[in-house]
Amino acid sequence: MTARDEILGRVRAGVGKEDFAARRAAAEAYMAARRRGPQPVIGGELATRFRAKAESLSSTVEAVAEAGEVPAAVARHLQQHGLPSSGVVTSDVAAFDWASSGLQLSPRPAVDSDLLGISGCFCAVAETGTLMLLSGPETPASVSLLPETHIALVEVSRIVATMEDAFALLRSERGSLPRAVNFISGPSRTGDIEQTIVLGAHGPCRVHLILIGA
Amino acid sequence: MRAAEHSQAMHFQARAGEKVRNPVLQRALQKAKPLFVGKRAKGIAALAEDGLAFEPLRAACEEIRNRVLADLDVWLAIFEERAKATGAEVLWARDGDEICDLVIDVARRHGVTKAAKSKSMLSEEAHLNEALAAAGIRPVETDLGEYIVQLAGETPSHIIAPAVHKTIDEVEALFAQEHGRPPEPRTSADIPAMTREARQVLRQHFLSAEMGITGANFLIAETGTASLVTNEGNGRMVTTLPKVHVVITGIEKIVPTLEDFATLMRLLPRSATGQTISNYVSLLTGTKRPGEYDGPEKTVFILVDNGRAALLGSAYQDMLRCIRCGACMNHCPVYFSLGGHAYGWVYPGPMGSVLTPLYTGIENALDLPHASTGCNQCGSVCPVRIPLPKLMHRLREEQVERGLRPWSESFGLKAWAWLAGKPKLYRWFARRASRYLNWLADDSGRIRVFGLAPGWTAGRDLAAPQGKTFHELYAARKRA
């Protein structure tokens, strides 16, 4: 007997029920209902909440009124913090006029030596101050992972209240899941040496968010 | 290789004594405990800001996990079908040996010489690192805590903080040796620099490994997805850069929908570290898509039994709800007196005291169900309401039923039962015993050394009875 058959046999014996087809139909119905658990009450403006939560998770946030201001805001931030002005950008936000603000960005996946990665996001979650990024040909996951500095552009209209709302948006706009959905909440961190929190474990050491349309 | 062969759980008492007397370990544990407890309490209290409360949320989490276990055969079928439809391969392992064989086979098929690992407790159940090394494949642990433990040639002592037992000086010695530099005196101010050093070393492993090995916090049936919850980003690294990704996970880890996953995510990080959300929550579905640059070309799920199926429909089924948050050990007075290694197998603390006997044999872990003060702190913080003390109690009963207790204990209990069934004799005996103990006591009413059972007074005095027995007092009061 194969391992699969033997394990499933044990599971069936443990479950101790017949009528597989009826139970399977019930499971399908349960999934289709997309029932939500207890939902948080997110009061006030979603953008305000998102910003406060993101900052509490050690991201820095700047709000700009419109998309045209983004390259200058990014350049200013990098200069203020003495950070390199060249790196990689995901294709979905490559069309900004980065060069006019003195930024040299290549629309490609990141490699080890890239120090700056700029990405958009699919949407953002106000409840936890979290970015939701989808992997794809236009949006390689490495851009938000390998460089020490990750800058993400967040349109205020794309901030939803909860993770459930983000999933609903994903289903309605994309239908199915990409290879990787990455929820990102601030710079990478570890507490593995004497429970002391250090930012910049394996992923970015700093995450800066530009809120567009605030 | 049966799990029992690797278990040291039968040496619990000897190891416990050793751990209690280890000042370095005790310092590390005493430093960690208030942090774990305080952070969780803060994280749970913060639920109220959003009009949420712990009890309804944990009831919802419990219900999700029960729903899956009640029809696990159905949910496994759905998950397998949908994972395959995304292009992933789904394999099954009866035990740790089969996990090792399957991983090595996948590695050989894809010319893998190095595997970068994100934390996986199931790979500890299988002793996968040893098997990989023996097969000529280098396993590199990339979670910082796991990396430290691997350098030390040890096993994790905590399921979410594997190196909680290590002090900064011990970590510095390991890093100096592995990274080929002289050791330096270190204080907590140097921890960022030490973390950076490990980051640089491990970055090269992420880039060169051909295989990434992870566990999965949950498998999502609806989409055939593995979810990974990490803070360091190593989980993302090993699932983005290597060309092969192997997910090793227990058959019980399924949740039905993305909504259910979102519900569980409100309690998992809060219970573990007090965080409202972990830094990286990744949902991994299938392989690299057409036109994509990164991501694995090959994704393999290894669904593992290793004792889990046998718990379905048993008195211990509740244990399968476990989401591996670590809250039970973080709140356990026994765990924080001994650390995780005393428990002798993969899982420490209260969840380990239940799982180790169940997965390695009740007769191979006789002390663990007794390693409890019965305080139920574990049960009260568990985000999926596992009645841990009740399960430990049931395991103790089973030891008695199967005649696994020492003869002195069974004889003592039988003698007491016989005596308790004869009220007159019992009262006579209790009177004599009470007078005897009172006579043994010193001027302050305490017994310093109790000769009949000296162990009881080794670490503390025994307060002696002050005169009459309960029955005598009761009778006197009734007369008055």
Side-chain angles (χ1 to χ4, degrees), chain B residues 364-379:
Chain B
N364 295 318
L366 290 177
D367 288 329
L368 293 190
H370 299 266
S372 159
T373 65
C375 69
N376 193 35
Q377 286 213 63
C378 50

Side-chain angles (χ1 to χ4, degrees), chain B residues 7 96 116 189 236 345:
Chain B
S7 173
R236 285 193 64 196
W345 196 57

Side-chain angles (χ1 to χ4, degrees), chain A residues 7 10-11 13-14, chain B residues 251 305-317 320 358-359:
Chain A
I7 294 168
R10 283 184 212 155
V11 170
Chain B
I251 50 173
D305 180 352
N306 209 29
R308 287 157 175 80
L311 304 195
L312 284 167
S314 79
Y316 306 103
Q317 177 167 317
L320 291 175
L358 292 175
Y359 288 176

Side-chain angles (χ1 to χ4, degrees), chain A residues 19-157:
Chain A
D19 63 343
F20 185 89
R23 291 187 296 123
R24 164 113 200 196
E28 300 280 356
Y30 175 80
M31 289 191 288
R34 309 206 189 296
R35 209 173 81 185
R36 294 185 179 192
Q39 293 294 286
V41 182
I42 309 290
E45 289 285 321
L46 291 182
T48 311
R49 161 77 178 226
F50 172 77
R51 180 172 188 157
K53 283 288 168 186
E55 284 172 342
S56 77
L57 298 174
S58 310
S59 293
T60 51
V61 185
E62 179 177 350
V64 298
E66 50 187 304
E69 299 170 32
V70 169
V74 169
R76 213 164 41 239
H77 174 82
L78 294 171
Q79 204 171 16
Q80 270 169 16
H81 293 84
L83 297 170
S85 58
S86 63
V88 285
V89 63
T90 53
S91 302
D92 59 329
V93 294
F96 282 90
D97 187 6
W98 301 107
S100 69
S101 293
L103 301 171
Q104 294 88 48
L105 300 174
S106 316
R108 58 168 171 80
V111 294
D112 186 34
S113 54
D114 289 316
L115 296 175
L116 169 66
I118 300 184
S119 76
C121 64
F122 173 74
C123 71
V125 179
E127 180 185 1
T128 48
T130 299
L131 302 170
M132 184 193 204
L133 272 63
L134 310 183
S135 72
E138 305 271 283
T139 52
S142 54
V143 172
S144 61
L145 182 62
L146 293 178
E148 288 189 5
T149 303
H150 174 211
I151 296 183
L153 315 185
V154 184
E155 284 180 43
V156 165
S157 62

Side-chain angles (χ1 to χ4, degrees), chain A residues 1-4 6-8 10-15 17 20 23-28 30-32 34-42 49 53 57 107-112 114 127-128 130 133 135-148 162-164 167-168 170-171 176-205 207, chain B residues 31-32 35 39 49-50 52 56-57 60 63 67 69-78 80-82 92-94 98 142-145 148 162-164 166-168 171 191-192 194-196 199 202-204 206-207 222-223 225 231-234 236-237 239-241 251 256-263 266 275 277-296 305 309 312-313:
Chain A
M1 200 189 288
T2 64
R4 178 185 182 278
E6 196 175 320
I7 294 168
L8 285 175
R10 283 184 212 155
V11 170
R12 268 192 299 277
V15 165
K17 296 179 191 167
F20 185 89
R23 291 187 296 123
R24 164 113 200 196
E28 300 280 356
Y30 175 80
M31 289 191 288
R34 309 206 189 296
R35 209 173 81 185
R36 294 185 179 192
Q39 293 294 286
V41 182
I42 309 290
R49 161 77 178 226
K53 283 288 168 186
L57 298 174
R108 58 168 171 80
V111 294
D112 186 34
D114 289 316
E127 180 185 1
T128 48
T130 299
L133 272 63
S135 72
E138 305 271 283
T139 52
S142 54
V143 172
S144 61
L145 182 62
L146 293 178
E148 288 189 5
T162 63
M163 191 182 270
E164 286 92 331
F167 288 139
L170 177 63
R171 285 194 187 105
S176 65
L177 294 188
R179 180 191 65 78
V181 174
N182 285 304
F183 290 98
I184 300 176
S185 309
S188 73
R189 67 178 66 206
T190 181
D192 274 343
I193 303 178
E194 295 201 339
Q195 279 65 58
T196 302
I197 301 295
V198 177
L199 298 183
H202 294 303
C205 307
V207 173
Chain B
K31 194 172 171 189
L35 292 172
K39 284 179 180 177
E49 289 169 20
D50 297 335
L52 290 169
L57 206 43
E63 191 195 331
R67 175 181 305 281
L69 298 176
D71 293 297
L72 188 60
D73 52 342
V74 169
W75 292 109
L76 280 167
I78 294 173
E80 184 186 38
E81 252 175 56
R82 300 199 179 186
W92 302 73
R94 277 173 278 232
E98 289 194 350
T142 64
D143 172 272
L144 183 58
I148 293 167
V164 64
K166 287 281 182 225
T167 61
I168 186 170
V171 175
I191 291 175
M194 294 168 72
T195 302
R196 185 151 194 94
R199 172 190 169 103
L202 288 168
R203 178 62 71 97
Q204 297 316 310
F206 290 127
L207 293 165
E222 176 191 5
T223 50
T225 297
N231 280 314
E232 296 185 359
N234 58 323
R236 285 193 64 196
M237 290 280 181
T239 59
T240 304
L241 301 173
I251 50 173
T257 63
L258 293 168
E259 280 73 13
D260 291 334
F261 173 73
T263 299
R266 289 202 174 84
Q275 290 169 282
I277 188 163
S278 302
N279 282 70
Y280 299 110
V281 176
S282 300
L283 303 178
L284 304 160
T285 310
T287 53
K288 187 196 299 208
R289 306 287 162 87
E292 254 194 295
Y293 298 97
D294 44 27
D305 180 352
L312 284 167

